[in-house]
PDB file of all heavy atoms in Angstrom:
ATOM      1  N   SER A   1      12.479   3.597 -12.875  1.00 77.00           N
ATOM      2  CA  SER A   1      12.983   2.235 -12.594  1.00 77.00           C
ATOM      3  C   SER A   1      11.995   1.418 -11.793  1.00 77.00           C
ATOM      4  O   SER A   1      12.160   0.210 -11.609  1.00 77.00           O
ATOM      5  CB  SER A   1      14.283   2.317 -11.836  1.00 77.00           C
ATOM      6  OG  SER A   1      14.099   2.999 -10.603  1.00 77.00           O
ATOM      7  N   GLY A   2      10.956   2.051 -11.262  1.00 74.00           N
ATOM      8  CA  GLY A   2       9.934   1.352 -10.490  1.00 74.00           C
ATOM      9  C   GLY A   2      10.248   1.350  -9.015  1.00 74.00           C
ATOM     10  O   GLY A   2      11.207   1.978  -8.565  1.00 74.00           O
ATOM     11  N   PHE A   3       9.419   0.672  -8.233  1.00 75.00           N
ATOM     12  CA  PHE A   3       9.562   0.628  -6.803  1.00 75.00           C
ATOM     13  C   PHE A   3       9.184  -0.746  -6.299  1.00 75.00           C
ATOM     14  O   PHE A   3       8.009  -1.124  -6.322  1.00 75.00           O
ATOM     15  CB  PHE A   3       8.607   1.667  -6.157  1.00 75.00           C
ATOM     16  CG  PHE A   3       8.756   1.802  -4.700  1.00 75.00           C
ATOM     17  CD1 PHE A   3       9.769   2.507  -4.116  1.00 75.00           C
ATOM     18  CD2 PHE A   3       7.802   1.219  -3.855  1.00 75.00           C
ATOM     19  CE1 PHE A   3       9.891   2.625  -2.727  1.00 75.00           C
ATOM     20  CE2 PHE A   3       7.922   1.331  -2.469  1.00 75.00           C
ATOM     21  CZ  PHE A   3       8.949   2.031  -1.932  1.00 75.00           C
ATOM     22  N   PRO A   4      10.173  -1.556  -5.930  1.00 81.00           N
ATOM     23  CA  PRO A   4       9.877  -2.939  -5.538  1.00 81.00           C
ATOM     24  C   PRO A   4       9.158  -3.024  -4.214  1.00 81.00           C
ATOM     25  O   PRO A   4       9.465  -2.283  -3.290  1.00 81.00           O
ATOM     26  CB  PRO A   4      11.273  -3.572  -5.426  1.00 81.00           C
ATOM     27  CG  PRO A   4      12.186  -2.439  -5.122  1.00 81.00           C
ATOM     28  CD  PRO A   4      11.615  -1.274  -5.826  1.00 81.00           C
ATOM     29  N   LEU A   5       8.147  -3.849  -4.153  1.00 81.00           N
ATOM     30  CA  LEU A   5       7.370  -4.060  -2.936  1.00 81.00           C
ATOM     31  C   LEU A   5       7.451  -5.538  -2.574  1.00 81.00           C
ATOM     32  O   LEU A   5       7.187  -6.397  -3.398  1.00 81.00           O
ATOM     33  CB  LEU A   5       5.889  -3.651  -3.111  1.00 81.00           C
ATOM     34  CG  LEU A   5       5.661  -2.196  -3.401  1.00 81.00           C
ATOM     35  CD1 LEU A   5       4.185  -1.994  -3.736  1.00 81.00           C
ATOM     36  CD2 LEU A   5       6.049  -1.330  -2.208  1.00 81.00           C
ATOM     37  N   GLU A   6       7.720  -5.819  -1.309  1.00 86.00           N
ATOM     38  CA  GLU A   6       7.792  -7.187  -0.863  1.00 86.00           C
ATOM     39  C   GLU A   6       7.058  -7.338   0.472  1.00 86.00           C
ATOM     40  O   GLU A   6       6.890  -6.355   1.201  1.00 86.00           O
ATOM     41  CB  GLU A   6       9.221  -7.656  -0.717  1.00 86.00           C
ATOM     42  CG  GLU A   6      10.005  -7.668  -2.026  1.00 86.00           C
ATOM     43  CD  GLU A   6      11.460  -8.059  -1.810  1.00 86.00           C
ATOM     44  OE1 GLU A   6      11.858  -8.382  -0.687  1.00 86.00           O
ATOM     45  OE2 GLU A   6      12.192  -8.042  -2.812  1.00 86.00           O
ATOM     46  N   GLY A   7       6.640  -8.549   0.770  1.00 90.00           N
ATOM     47  CA  GLY A   7       6.080  -8.870   2.055  1.00 90.00           C
ATOM     48  C   GLY A   7       4.884  -8.020   2.492  1.00 90.00           C
ATOM     49  O   GLY A   7       3.904  -7.874   1.749  1.00 90.00           O
ATOM     50  N   GLU A   8       4.969  -7.383   3.659  1.00 89.00           N
ATOM     51  CA  GLU A   8       3.877  -6.599   4.209  1.00 89.00           C
ATOM     52  C   GLU A   8       3.526  -5.406   3.326  1.00 89.00           C
ATOM     53  O   GLU A   8       2.368  -5.022   3.228  1.00 89.00           O
ATOM     54  CB  GLU A   8       4.231  -6.132   5.610  1.00 89.00           C
ATOM     55  CG  GLU A   8       4.268  -7.247   6.645  1.00 89.00           C
ATOM     56  CD  GLU A   8       4.559  -6.716   8.019  1.00 89.00           C
ATOM     57  OE1 GLU A   8       4.521  -5.488   8.257  1.00 89.00           O
ATOM     58  OE2 GLU A   8       4.865  -7.547   8.905  1.00 89.00           O
ATOM     59  N   MET A   9       4.548  -4.788   2.714  1.00 86.00           N
ATOM     60  CA  MET A   9       4.262  -3.613   1.872  1.00 86.00           C
ATOM     61  C   MET A   9       3.446  -4.058   0.624  1.00 86.00           C
ATOM     62  O   MET A   9       2.535  -3.341   0.230  1.00 86.00           O
ATOM     63  CB  MET A   9       5.565  -2.944   1.408  1.00 86.00           C
ATOM     64  CG  MET A   9       6.242  -2.172   2.521  1.00 86.00           C
ATOM     65  SD  MET A   9       5.178  -0.842   3.221  1.00 86.00           S
ATOM     66  CE  MET A   9       5.161   0.308   1.865  1.00 86.00           C
ATOM     67  N   TRP A  10       3.798  -5.198   0.064  1.00 89.00           N
ATOM     68  CA  TRP A  10       3.034  -5.721  -1.092  1.00 89.00           C
ATOM     69  C   TRP A  10       1.580  -5.944  -0.673  1.00 89.00           C
ATOM     70  O   TRP A  10       0.652  -5.557  -1.360  1.00 89.00           O
ATOM     71  CB  TRP A  10       3.638  -6.998  -1.638  1.00 89.00           C
ATOM     72  CG  TRP A  10       2.818  -7.636  -2.692  1.00 89.00           C
ATOM     73  CD1 TRP A  10       2.026  -8.731  -2.552  1.00 89.00           C
ATOM     74  CD2 TRP A  10       2.646  -7.213  -4.030  1.00 89.00           C
ATOM     75  NE1 TRP A  10       1.376  -9.042  -3.744  1.00 89.00           N
ATOM     76  CE2 TRP A  10       1.776  -8.079  -4.686  1.00 89.00           C
ATOM     77  CE3 TRP A  10       3.198  -6.156  -4.764  1.00 89.00           C
ATOM     78  CZ2 TRP A  10       1.413  -7.937  -6.004  1.00 89.00           C
ATOM     79  CZ3 TRP A  10       2.807  -6.022  -6.128  1.00 89.00           C
ATOM     80  CH2 TRP A  10       1.946  -6.893  -6.705  1.00 89.00           C
ATOM     81  N   GLU A  11       1.360  -6.593   0.486  1.00 92.00           N
ATOM     82  CA  GLU A  11       0.003  -6.877   0.972  1.00 92.00           C
ATOM     83  C   GLU A  11      -0.755  -5.582   1.219  1.00 92.00           C
ATOM     84  O   GLU A  11      -1.945  -5.511   0.935  1.00 92.00           O
ATOM     85  CB  GLU A  11       0.104  -7.714   2.267  1.00 92.00           C
ATOM     86  CG  GLU A  11       0.654  -9.100   2.055  1.00 92.00           C
ATOM     87  CD  GLU A  11      -0.146  -9.913   1.080  1.00 92.00           C
ATOM     88  OE1 GLU A  11      -1.399  -9.814   1.041  1.00 92.00           O
ATOM     89  OE2 GLU A  11       0.465 -10.695   0.293  1.00 92.00           O
ATOM     90  N   LEU A  12      -0.082  -4.556   1.752  1.00 90.00           N
ATOM     91  CA  LEU A  12      -0.751  -3.278   1.975  1.00 90.00           C
ATOM     92  C   LEU A  12      -1.260  -2.689   0.680  1.00 90.00           C
ATOM     93  O   LEU A  12      -2.408  -2.284   0.585  1.00 90.00           O
ATOM     94  CB  LEU A  12       0.220  -2.300   2.672  1.00 90.00           C
ATOM     95  CG  LEU A  12      -0.329  -0.890   2.940  1.00 90.00           C
ATOM     96  CD1 LEU A  12      -1.464  -0.931   3.915  1.00 90.00           C
ATOM     97  CD2 LEU A  12       0.796   0.022   3.412  1.00 90.00           C
ATOM     98  N   PHE A  13      -0.424  -2.675  -0.345  1.00 87.00           N
ATOM     99  CA  PHE A  13      -0.817  -2.101  -1.642  1.00 87.00           C
ATOM    100  C   PHE A  13      -1.882  -2.954  -2.322  1.00 87.00           C
ATOM    101  O   PHE A  13      -2.837  -2.390  -2.881  1.00 87.00           O
ATOM    102  CB  PHE A  13       0.395  -1.910  -2.536  1.00 87.00           C
ATOM    103  CG  PHE A  13       1.111  -0.588  -2.305  1.00 87.00           C
ATOM    104  CD1 PHE A  13       1.945  -0.463  -1.209  1.00 87.00           C
ATOM    105  CD2 PHE A  13       0.950   0.468  -3.153  1.00 87.00           C
ATOM    106  CE1 PHE A  13       2.596   0.743  -0.962  1.00 87.00           C
ATOM    107  CE2 PHE A  13       1.590   1.681  -2.917  1.00 87.00           C
ATOM    108  CZ  PHE A  13       2.406   1.805  -1.819  1.00 87.00           C
ATOM    109  N   VAL A  14      -1.790  -4.244  -2.256  1.00 91.00           N
ATOM    110  CA  VAL A  14      -2.810  -5.113  -2.858  1.00 91.00           C
ATOM    111  C   VAL A  14      -4.149  -4.950  -2.108  1.00 91.00           C
ATOM    112  O   VAL A  14      -5.193  -4.819  -2.727  1.00 91.00           O
ATOM    113  CB  VAL A  14      -2.354  -6.601  -2.811  1.00 91.00           C
ATOM    114  CG1 VAL A  14      -3.504  -7.523  -3.174  1.00 91.00           C
ATOM    115  CG2 VAL A  14      -1.193  -6.814  -3.773  1.00 91.00           C
ATOM    116  N   GLY A  15      -4.074  -4.869  -0.800  1.00 93.00           N
ATOM    117  CA  GLY A  15      -5.279  -4.671  -0.004  1.00 93.00           C
ATOM    118  C   GLY A  15      -5.966  -3.318  -0.202  1.00 93.00           C
ATOM    119  O   GLY A  15      -7.162  -3.168  -0.008  1.00 93.00           O
ATOM    120  N   ALA A  16      -5.192  -2.336  -0.684  1.00 92.00           N
ATOM    121  CA  ALA A  16      -5.741  -1.010  -0.868  1.00 92.00           C
ATOM    122  C   ALA A  16      -6.796  -0.950  -1.982  1.00 92.00           C
ATOM    123  O   ALA A  16      -7.581   0.002  -2.005  1.00 92.00           O
ATOM    124  CB  ALA A  16      -4.616  -0.023  -1.185  1.00 92.00           C
ATOM    125  N   VAL A  17      -6.837  -1.944  -2.803  1.00 93.00           N
ATOM    126  CA  VAL A  17      -7.857  -1.995  -3.861  1.00 93.00           C
ATOM    127  C   VAL A  17      -9.235  -1.942  -3.206  1.00 93.00           C
ATOM    128  O   VAL A  17     -10.126  -1.216  -3.695  1.00 93.00           O
ATOM    129  CB  VAL A  17      -7.689  -3.260  -4.715  1.00 93.00           C
ATOM    130  CG1 VAL A  17      -8.854  -3.396  -5.689  1.00 93.00           C
ATOM    131  CG2 VAL A  17      -6.376  -3.220  -5.473  1.00 93.00           C
ATOM    132  N   GLU A  18      -9.460  -2.672  -2.122  1.00 95.00           N
ATOM    133  CA  GLU A  18     -10.761  -2.752  -1.515  1.00 95.00           C
ATOM    134  C   GLU A  18     -10.863  -2.116  -0.136  1.00 95.00           C
ATOM    135  O   GLU A  18     -11.940  -1.911   0.398  1.00 95.00           O
ATOM    136  CB  GLU A  18     -11.172  -4.226  -1.428  1.00 95.00           C
ATOM    137  CG  GLU A  18     -11.337  -4.868  -2.781  1.00 95.00           C
ATOM    138  CD  GLU A  18     -11.801  -6.308  -2.681  1.00 95.00           C
ATOM    139  OE1 GLU A  18     -12.150  -6.755  -1.603  1.00 95.00           O
ATOM    140  OE2 GLU A  18     -11.808  -6.968  -3.737  1.00 95.00           O
ATOM    141  N   ASP A  19      -9.725  -1.760   0.484  1.00 94.00           N
ATOM    142  CA  ASP A  19      -9.694  -1.278   1.864  1.00 94.00           C
ATOM    143  C   ASP A  19      -9.297   0.198   1.915  1.00 94.00           C
ATOM    144  O   ASP A  19      -8.110   0.512   1.670  1.00 94.00           O
ATOM    145  CB  ASP A  19      -8.765  -2.125   2.703  1.00 94.00           C
ATOM    146  CG  ASP A  19      -8.698  -1.661   4.167  1.00 94.00           C
ATOM    147  OD1 ASP A  19      -9.614  -0.993   4.622  1.00 94.00           O
ATOM    148  OD2 ASP A  19      -7.681  -2.013   4.817  1.00 94.00           O
ATOM    149  N   SER A  20     -10.232   1.073   2.225  1.00 93.00           N
ATOM    150  CA  SER A  20      -9.921   2.501   2.246  1.00 93.00           C
ATOM    151  C   SER A  20      -8.929   2.837   3.371  1.00 93.00           C
ATOM    152  O   SER A  20      -8.168   3.785   3.254  1.00 93.00           O
ATOM    153  CB  SER A  20     -11.210   3.337   2.456  1.00 93.00           C
ATOM    154  OG  SER A  20     -11.816   3.021   3.698  1.00 93.00           O
ATOM    155  N   GLY A  21      -8.895   2.040   4.440  1.00 91.00           N
ATOM    156  CA  GLY A  21      -7.888   2.258   5.491  1.00 91.00           C
ATOM    157  C   GLY A  21      -6.472   2.028   5.000  1.00 91.00           C
ATOM    158  O   GLY A  21      -5.575   2.783   5.332  1.00 91.00           O
ATOM    159  N   SER A  22      -6.309   1.022   4.140  1.00 90.00           N
ATOM    160  CA  SER A  22      -4.993   0.796   3.539  1.00 90.00           C
ATOM    161  C   SER A  22      -4.605   1.921   2.609  1.00 90.00           C
ATOM    162  O   SER A  22      -3.460   2.360   2.580  1.00 90.00           O
ATOM    163  CB  SER A  22      -4.990  -0.539   2.761  1.00 90.00           C
ATOM    164  OG  SER A  22      -5.092  -1.624   3.635  1.00 90.00           O
ATOM    165  N   ARG A  23      -5.575   2.411   1.846  1.00 89.00           N
ATOM    166  CA  ARG A  23      -5.286   3.553   0.948  1.00 89.00           C
ATOM    167  C   ARG A  23      -4.870   4.748   1.759  1.00 89.00           C
ATOM    168  O   ARG A  23      -3.929   5.463   1.387  1.00 89.00           O
ATOM    169  CB  ARG A  23      -6.522   3.871   0.074  1.00 89.00           C
ATOM    170  CG  ARG A  23      -6.801   2.811  -0.977  1.00 89.00           C
ATOM    171  CD  ARG A  23      -7.840   3.284  -1.966  1.00 89.00           C
ATOM    172  NE  ARG A  23      -9.160   3.494  -1.397  1.00 89.00           N
ATOM    173  CZ  ARG A  23     -10.099   2.579  -1.269  1.00 89.00           C
ATOM    174  NH1 ARG A  23      -9.841   1.321  -1.613  1.00 89.00           N
ATOM    175  NH2 ARG A  23     -11.293   2.868  -0.766  1.00 89.00           N
ATOM    176  N   ARG A  24      -5.541   5.016   2.856  1.00 88.00           N
ATOM    177  CA  ARG A  24      -5.200   6.171   3.697  1.00 88.00           C
ATOM    178  C   ARG A  24      -3.807   5.967   4.299  1.00 88.00           C
ATOM    179  O   ARG A  24      -3.030   6.932   4.365  1.00 88.00           O
ATOM    180  CB  ARG A  24      -6.242   6.317   4.820  1.00 88.00           C
ATOM    181  CG  ARG A  24      -5.992   7.512   5.682  1.00 88.00           C
ATOM    182  CD  ARG A  24      -6.098   8.765   4.859  1.00 88.00           C
ATOM    183  NE  ARG A  24      -5.582   9.886   5.611  1.00 88.00           N
ATOM    184  CZ  ARG A  24      -5.882  11.122   5.362  1.00 88.00           C
ATOM    185  NH1 ARG A  24      -6.683  11.410   4.349  1.00 88.00           N
ATOM    186  NH2 ARG A  24      -5.386  12.087   6.071  1.00 88.00           N
ATOM    187  N   THR A  25      -3.464   4.764   4.736  1.00 87.00           N
ATOM    188  CA  THR A  25      -2.137   4.511   5.265  1.00 87.00           C
ATOM    189  C   THR A  25      -1.063   4.777   4.220  1.00 87.00           C
ATOM    190  O   THR A  25      -0.061   5.455   4.528  1.00 87.00           O
ATOM    191  CB  THR A  25      -2.041   3.016   5.761  1.00 87.00           C
ATOM    192  OG1 THR A  25      -2.987   2.844   6.798  1.00 87.00           O
ATOM    193  CG2 THR A  25      -0.637   2.729   6.262  1.00 87.00           C
ATOM    194  N   ILE A  26      -1.279   4.342   3.017  1.00 84.00           N
ATOM    195  CA  ILE A  26      -0.324   4.563   1.938  1.00 84.00           C
ATOM    196  C   ILE A  26      -0.166   6.067   1.700  1.00 84.00           C
ATOM    197  O   ILE A  26       0.961   6.573   1.591  1.00 84.00           O
ATOM    198  CB  ILE A  26      -0.737   3.836   0.633  1.00 84.00           C
ATOM    199  CG1 ILE A  26      -0.679   2.332   0.841  1.00 84.00           C
ATOM    200  CG2 ILE A  26       0.099   4.288  -0.568  1.00 84.00           C
ATOM    201  CD1 ILE A  26      -1.384   1.518  -0.214  1.00 84.00           C
ATOM    202  N   PHE A  27      -1.273   6.766   1.637  1.00 82.00           N
ATOM    203  CA  PHE A  27      -1.219   8.191   1.393  1.00 82.00           C
ATOM    204  C   PHE A  27      -0.463   8.917   2.547  1.00 82.00           C
ATOM    205  O   PHE A  27       0.413   9.718   2.312  1.00 82.00           O
ATOM    206  CB  PHE A  27      -2.641   8.747   1.282  1.00 82.00           C
ATOM    207  CG  PHE A  27      -2.684  10.261   1.118  1.00 82.00           C
ATOM    208  CD1 PHE A  27      -2.386  10.835  -0.082  1.00 82.00           C
ATOM    209  CD2 PHE A  27      -2.953  11.067   2.211  1.00 82.00           C
ATOM    210  CE1 PHE A  27      -2.418  12.211  -0.264  1.00 82.00           C
ATOM    211  CE2 PHE A  27      -2.967  12.437   2.074  1.00 82.00           C
ATOM    212  CZ  PHE A  27      -2.696  13.021   0.824  1.00 82.00           C
ATOM    213  N   ASP A  28      -0.813   8.543   3.768  1.00 81.00           N
ATOM    214  CA  ASP A  28      -0.167   9.182   4.927  1.00 81.00           C
ATOM    215  C   ASP A  28       1.334   8.929   4.964  1.00 81.00           C
ATOM    216  O   ASP A  28       2.120   9.849   5.201  1.00 81.00           O
ATOM    217  CB  ASP A  28      -0.790   8.708   6.223  1.00 81.00           C
ATOM    218  CG  ASP A  28      -2.181   9.281   6.454  1.00 81.00           C
ATOM    219  OD1 ASP A  28      -2.552  10.259   5.795  1.00 81.00           O
ATOM    220  OD2 ASP A  28      -2.887   8.731   7.335  1.00 81.00           O
ATOM    221  N   VAL A  29       1.735   7.697   4.701  1.00 79.00           N
ATOM    222  CA  VAL A  29       3.159   7.353   4.753  1.00 79.00           C
ATOM    223  C   VAL A  29       3.926   7.996   3.616  1.00 79.00           C
ATOM    224  O   VAL A  29       5.002   8.536   3.831  1.00 79.00           O
ATOM    225  CB  VAL A  29       3.332   5.813   4.753  1.00 79.00           C
ATOM    226  CG1 VAL A  29       4.825   5.433   4.573  1.00 79.00           C
ATOM    227  CG2 VAL A  29       2.805   5.222   6.047  1.00 79.00           C
ATOM    228  N   THR A  30       3.407   7.955   2.422  1.00 75.00           N
ATOM    229  CA  THR A  30       4.121   8.450   1.261  1.00 75.00           C
ATOM    230  C   THR A  30       4.161   9.977   1.200  1.00 75.00           C
ATOM    231  O   THR A  30       5.042  10.550   0.568  1.00 75.00           O
ATOM    232  CB  THR A  30       3.595   7.887  -0.055  1.00 75.00           C
ATOM    233  OG1 THR A  30       2.209   8.263  -0.196  1.00 75.00           O
ATOM    234  CG2 THR A  30       3.733   6.400  -0.131  1.00 75.00           C
TER     235      THR A  30
END
């Protein structure tokens, strides 16, 4: 069904394309 992202979470995932720190945060949290 997917996973809706809004606000800060959306920005975190979009920023992860170029920011390794954001990618690490996503990995750590999930």
